[in-house]
Amino acid sequence: MTAAVVSIVLLLVGLPLLASWLGGRRFWSRLRPGRGADPWGDLVRVHDLSAGEAAAVNTAVARGRRLDDERLRRAAVAHARQALSGLQWREATRGQRVLLVLVAVWLLLQVVGIVVQLVAGEPGDVSWGVVAALAVAVVATVVFRRRLHRAVELNGGPPA
């Protein structure tokens, strides 16, 4: 009997509370008129891309490949340049710059700590997981930038 009462109370009180909480979340704002910028949606609309074409453009840019269709190549160049501009320091917001500085300081402290431990002759104390994560992050960033530049070059845009 009490389980049934608790279930009914949860349904009658909890469900409306959950709905009002979800309705107030910021992620719903992208569905409302007057929402913020939508660079990908704008790119798809400007170049009049179908869903399949948009996927092909996104894949070609991510892999640094050339597309056959001239219209898709123009979209790929625009998409790659947009992604490259998002990686520029001068394009970053203040919050992004603060976060980047904090991450850079953390990375520097990690590298200094690893070097100190290696110089002290204690390679067992080195956090090799951190070393692997740093290496993956650096390699992934370099590869991503190279692929974006290659996508611009191969799809007919002048180098950025």
Side-chain angles (χ1 to χ4, degrees), residues 10-59:
L10 281 177
L11 284 173
L12 292 176
V13 175
L15 205 53
L17 286 175
L18 178 65
S20 67
W21 178 78
L22 281 175
R25 301 294 95 198
R26 294 189 68 201
F27 59 83
W28 292 111
S29 66
R30 65 189 166 110
L31 301 175
R32 294 186 197 132
R35 65 181 193 263
D38 181 15
W40 176 250
D42 293 342
L43 181 86
V44 169
R45 281 187 291 281
V46 166
H47 294 279
D48 194 31
L49 301 176
S50 68
E53 292 170 336
V57 166
N58 195 35
T59 301

Side-chain angles (χ1 to χ4, degrees), residues 58-88:
N58 195 35
T59 301
V61 168
R63 294 180 181 170
R65 300 221 172 112
R66 178 178 167 83
L67 291 160
D68 295 330
D69 186 4
E70 180 65 31
R71 185 173 59 89
L72 297 182
R73 287 204 316 258
R74 285 193 304 270
V77 169
H79 182 39
R81 284 192 177 141
Q82 194 175 59
L84 284 168
S85 73
L87 297 174
Q88 300 298 322

